[in-house]
Amino acid sequence: MSDPQQSAQNSQMLQGEPSPEELEAAQAANEADALAAAQGELAALQAKNAELADQYLRAQADVQNARRRADDEITKARKFAVEAFAESLLPVTDSLEAGLAIKDATPEQIREGAEATLRQLKSALERNKVIEVAPAAGARFDPHQHQAISVVPAPEQEPNTVVSVLQKGYTINERVLRPALVTVSAPK
């Protein structure tokens, strides 16, 4: 006679249920597959990490190169910034030297030469965006472009308006280089 436990095992085998040994073998196979998959994933991640580290180093090198080029450009810009301005002043220098070379010039010739040289100088300044600030009498006082030297009574003018210009001011690229020195009408 067979014992009931053995008969239960035999019936399990006949019914297709896996034995404990088969379950253990399947679990070991699953663990091996999972380990192999994890190792493959680890290798892929390590390769990706190496690629990203290389990209990072290259980006760092690009940034350093760009910074060095920008520094070189700034140095050159500072060094040669006044070159165009100086070049535009050379004709003014030439005119002054030519005027001084004339030994027996008449006062009219000297005045005419000085006026021509002043026109050249103003033209050179304007080409280089140096614009004079000379407000007309009665213009509104602008503390951004004008400097009040004194306040004078001017009953015929609105308060806080320019009465007279003592010295012209100048801007360069819309930035005040020197404010115009003005007298301003007193408040009433």
Side-chain angles (χ1 to χ4, degrees):
M1 277 209 172
S2 69
D3 99 20
Q5 192 176 22
Q6 202 172 30
S7 127
Q9 282 180 346
N10 288 340
S11 80
Q12 281 179 348
M13 289 167 91
L14 293 176
Q15 293 176 353
E17 290 184 25
S19 69
E21 293 81 21
E22 290 174 329
L23 287 174
E24 191 175 307
Q27 183 179 1
N30 284 341
E31 287 175 1
D33 289 345
L35 180 61
Q39 287 174 338
E41 189 176 332
L42 177 63
L45 289 174
Q46 286 174 334
K48 183 69 174 172
N49 184 31
E51 178 185 336
L52 291 174
D54 182 58
Q55 288 176 357
Y56 173 76
L57 289 176
R58 288 176 190 275
Q60 285 293 94
D62 286 346
V63 166
Q64 288 175 353
N65 288 339
R67 186 174 291 137
R68 190 183 72 251
R69 281 191 301 271
D71 288 345
D72 290 346
E73 291 291 323
I74 290 170
T75 300
K76 285 178 185 175
R78 284 184 183 147
K79 190 174 182 179
F80 300 110
V82 297
E83 184 177 3
F85 184 68
E87 189 176 304
S88 68
L89 291 179
L90 293 179
V92 176
T93 304
D94 294 340
S95 293
L96 287 172
E97 288 174 346
L100 290 173
I102 300 173
K103 300 293 183 207
D104 55 352
T106 65
E108 293 83 24
Q109 289 174 323
I110 293 172
R111 180 166 186 79
E112 188 178 306
E115 287 173 351
T117 303
L118 181 60
R119 283 192 301 274
Q120 279 183 317
L121 179 59
K122 285 184 176 184
S123 174
L125 291 172
E126 287 177 7
R127 277 195 310 274
N128 288 281
K129 309 288 190 259
V130 178
I131 308 298
E132 74 178 34
V133 176
R140 199 91 188 122
F141 174 73
D142 180 358
H144 301 292
Q145 292 191 341
H146 310 147
Q147 181 177 347
I149 296 302
S150 64
V151 177
V152 296
E156 69 281 355
Q157 282 189 227
E158 290 284 321
N160 295 324
T161 57
V162 174
V163 175
S164 64
V165 176
L166 303 172
Q167 184 181 58
K168 293 177 185 176
Y170 290 91
T171 61
I172 185 165
N173 287 323
E174 300 179 15
R175 182 176 172 185
V176 175
L177 189 60
R178 180 179 81 185
L181 301 179
V182 298
T183 57
V184 179
S185 61
K188 295 181 182 184

